[in-house]
Amino acid sequence: MTTSASLPAESESAIPVDATVTDRLVEANQHYAAAFTDPGMDARPVLKVAVVACMDARLDLHDALGLELGDCHTIRNAGGVVTDDVIRSLTISQRALGTRSVVLIHHTGCGLESLTEEFRHELEMEVGQRPAWAVEAFRDVDQDVRQSMQRVRTSPFLVDTDNVRGFVFDVKTGLLREIDPA
């Protein structure tokens, strides 16, 4: 299996031994851009859907959901939780770019299940300033998906809140399990 930063074998000798990960990404982009042609797409997602998911590196959303470039808006953060910034992105996605459906995806084995709000206190002690944001840690992934669905459905800024569905992605099987909002 390759990653998005994988380069063709013949290019690896061109990368200095002391190259950083960012150097590898930039080099991979050079190869990508060499074959790139403008697909002529609009910023509006073809499927009119926005997907909110965790930033976990094990989730390959496009492959897992059978999506192609241009199909959806993808909003990712730690835990895939619906924060004020997610509401901001969804509002722009719906009101300015025409999306009508929201899919929320959390996953098994999420790192937020092992954190608490104590994390903020530890940061404050280390850097001398308390973060303005909440950790949004949780113990029950199903309940957190329900909470995220409720936040989307009750936002006054969103115009389409009827087609909101939430799922838990199993990182061992690759399957989605739908969460009943009730």
Side-chain angles (χ1 to χ4, degrees):
M1 177 163 91
T2 61
T3 66
S4 59
S6 295
L7 300 174
E10 69 274 1
S11 298
E12 296 197 26
S13 61
I15 301 174
V17 175
D18 60 345
T20 66
V21 171
T22 304
D23 293 333
R24 287 181 52 210
L25 298 176
V26 171
E27 178 71 17
N29 174 257
Q30 296 298 313
H31 291 275
Y32 171 80
F36 184 80
T37 56
D38 180 0
M41 295 178 171
D42 188 283
R44 297 172 185 272
V46 172
L47 299 179
K48 298 185 178 191
V49 63
V51 178
V52 178
C54 185
M55 65 187 192
D56 192 294
R58 296 172 290 180
L59 278 67
D60 184 345
L61 293 175
H62 276 74
D63 274 355
L65 301 175
L67 296 168
E68 299 293 331
L69 181 67
D71 282 348
C72 72
H73 283 157
T74 306
I75 304 161
R76 295 181 79 157
N77 67 19
V81 296
V82 176
T83 61
D84 286 345
D85 193 58
V86 168
I87 294 294
R88 177 187 73 86
S89 294
L90 287 173
T91 301
I92 293 166
S93 179
Q94 285 190 353
R95 291 182 177 265
L97 297 167
T99 59
R100 296 296 172 249
S101 300
V102 178
V103 173
L104 305 171
I105 301 177
H106 287 35
H107 65 91
T108 58
C110 185
L112 283 186
E113 291 176 292
S114 63
L115 289 177
T116 66
E117 289 299 319
E118 181 65 21
F119 182 75
R120 290 175 72 212
H121 176 70
E122 293 166 2
L123 280 173
E124 180 180 16
M125 301 312 314
E126 180 182 329
V127 302
Q129 181 177 343
R130 187 171 186 85
W133 39 263
V135 174
E136 297 279 354
F138 53 87
R139 294 281 177 254
D140 181 337
V141 68
D142 291 17
Q143 183 55 35
D144 202 63
V145 172
R146 285 186 199 95
Q147 178 177 303
S148 290
M149 284 190 281
Q150 184 65 16
R151 286 179 177 172
V152 171
R153 288 186 171 136
T154 59
S155 173
F157 306 110
L158 300 174
V159 291
D160 285 296
T161 57
D162 292 337
N163 194 0
V164 178
R165 293 172 65 184
F167 300 85
V168 174
F169 177 86
D170 187 314
V171 298
K172 301 287 187 204
T173 67
L175 290 172
L176 289 176
R177 178 174 51 83
E178 189 159 7
I179 301 302
D180 184 348

